[in-house]
Amino acid sequence: MEPTQVYDCIIIGGGIAGLQAAIQLGRYSAHRVLVIDAGFGRSTLCQQYHNLLGFPDGISGQELRSRGRRQAESYGVEFVLDTVKGARKREGRLQVDTLSGTGYTGKTVLLATGVLDRFPDVPGMVPTLGLSVYVCPDCDGYEIQDRKTVLMGAGRTGAEMALLLAERTRDLTYINHERTDVAPQLLHQMAERGIRYEEGEIAEVQHTEGFIRSVMLKDGRSFAAERGFIAFGGNEVHSGLAAQLGVTISNNRHVETDPRTKQTSVPGVWAAGDLGVHAEQVSVAMGEGSIAAIWIHKALSPCYNQLNGGEAEDDS
């Protein structure tokens, strides 16, 4: 049976970009907005964000999401905990199907499905993420300044990250967990920078209340650490729904959008946050969520359409 309710916008993904877009759209007091959230993603794993305006002592991803949802709900935005398995265009509308079997119809869709980092399932890893073990040198390179740091990674991806991190600390060990090949040139560059290189499967990240103390290998070796980084490569870009909708996707599997509006190549479909082609940072995701919501509002607004001959244009 076709769903009878048509939402003005369906936001797929309840992470930072999706929540910021929901808040922006909700504050127009003119649209019925639904957020479909699977309840798990990059932001749910981050124990603390350090580089956000207004949070000098940090804030966890879960807390930021919780606050964002409450704020969006205060403006009438609806939330559903479910996973979207399919999306398609039909008769000028966008149809969304979920794992629970429920279907939803929207005039517009915002894809905010994000990225999930790849890392091994070893004890102690998740409790340290964002608190003392990091993924982004731009976001958290500051946190390892002059500290004993262990980089856990794989092959070339880890080696290249190690060379970046060497700008921050002279006490850096790179553990190639998967023992994948590293080019001789990279090995030479790491040696020149004083980076210790080891190969071995990680057994455990030992920590105290989320603060890393050492990395244990399965062969019994142990490496003391004050801070850590991960760089395994092969992160999962959640662009499957975008592909179903016929959206243009870049070679790195991220979704291409108009830099001005965040609309994709398919009319009525926007994308924001880590899914898009950009620097993967929370502050950027917030900004993109707001930009996408503003242009979605313009696309939905009869006033903007009449003023601009059917197209939402920038009024600046």
Side-chain angles (χ1 to χ4, degrees):
M1 180 181 295
E2 286 293 321
T4 57
Q5 173 62 50
V6 177
Y7 288 92
D8 293 302
C9 183
I10 298 174
I11 299 173
I12 304 175
I16 308 306
L19 287 170
Q20 187 66 63
I23 291 167
Q24 180 69 35
L25 282 169
R27 286 174 59 85
Y28 285 116
S29 305
H31 310 302
R32 188 164 188 189
V33 179
L34 173 68
V35 178
I36 305 176
D37 181 24
F40 179 80
R42 202 178 223 182
S43 57
T44 65
L45 293 171
C46 184
Q47 307 299 322
Q48 195 169 77
Y49 291 115
H50 299 270
N51 65 333
L52 288 181
L53 176 68
F55 297 100
D57 298 321
I59 183 171
S60 73
Q62 287 282 31
E63 178 62 20
L64 194 60
R65 286 169 64 110
S66 178
R67 294 187 188 190
R69 174 166 177 164
R70 291 196 301 269
Q71 190 172 351
E73 287 177 330
S74 74
Y75 300 124
V77 174
E78 300 174 42
F79 282 78
V80 169
L81 184 63
D82 207 340
T83 299
V84 176
K85 67 175 183 178
R88 64 194 186 281
K89 269 202 162 186
R90 183 178 180 184
E91 297 177 354
R93 302 296 190 195
L94 290 146
Q95 304 288 329
V96 171
D97 301 311
T98 65
L99 286 179
S100 70
T102 306
Y104 300 93
T105 301
K107 298 176 184 177
T108 63
V109 161
L110 171 61
L111 299 171
T113 46
V115 170
L116 197 59
D117 299 283
R118 185 176 76 89
F119 56 86
D121 182 16
V122 299
M125 180 74 83
V126 170
T128 65
L129 293 177
L131 192 61
S132 62
V133 174
Y134 314 103
V135 301
C136 173
D138 296 310
C139 304
D140 291 312
Y142 175 87
E143 303 299 327
I144 70 166
Q145 187 72 41
D146 299 325
R147 293 179 181 269
K148 182 184 290 292
T149 302
V150 172
L151 167 65
M152 296 164 278
R156 175 179 175 177
T157 300
E160 291 177 344
M161 177 68 81
L163 291 169
L164 287 174
L165 297 180
E167 298 175 355
R168 287 291 192 170
T169 179
R170 295 182 179 180
D171 194 342
L172 177 62
T173 298
Y174 167 34
I175 299 174
N176 186 347
H177 168 77
E178 296 174 352
R179 298 186 178 93
T180 42
D181 290 341
V182 177
Q185 182 181 4
L186 288 174
L187 290 172
H188 178 69
Q189 290 175 5
M190 286 194 292
E192 283 189 325
R193 300 295 297 273
I195 300 167
R196 182 178 180 181
Y197 175 69
E198 302 286 347
E199 293 185 354
E201 192 172 350
I202 299 166
E204 182 181 2
V205 177
Q206 297 181 324
H207 66 93
T208 301
E209 295 182 348
F211 285 93
I212 188 172
R213 294 291 175 255
S214 64
V215 177
M216 289 285 298
L217 303 189
K218 288 190 174 181
D219 61 16
R221 287 180 292 163
S222 177
F223 299 91
E226 297 175 279
R227 294 291 185 268
F229 251 86
I230 60 172
F232 290 89
N235 293 343
E236 183 181 356
V237 184
H238 295 152
S239 52
L241 294 174
Q244 290 181 26
L245 289 165
V247 166
T248 300
I249 297 174
S250 69
N251 292 334
N252 66 0
R253 295 170 290 134
H254 289 262
V255 170
E256 295 186 5
T257 62
D258 185 308
R260 183 183 180 203
T261 66
K262 299 305 163 188
Q263 187 169 211
T264 71
S265 58
V266 175
V269 180
W270 278 257
D274 293 348
L275 178 65
V277 181
H278 76 300
E280 297 172 12
Q281 295 192 19
V282 173
S283 54
V284 175
M286 287 180 174
E288 289 196 349
S290 289
I291 291 171
I294 289 168
W295 284 88
I296 290 169
H297 167 67
K298 289 182 177 184
L300 292 168
S301 170
C303 177
Y304 278 108
N305 288 330
Q306 290 170 6
L307 287 173
N308 296 290
E311 292 188 10
E313 294 289 343
D314 192 348
D315 57 358
S316 60

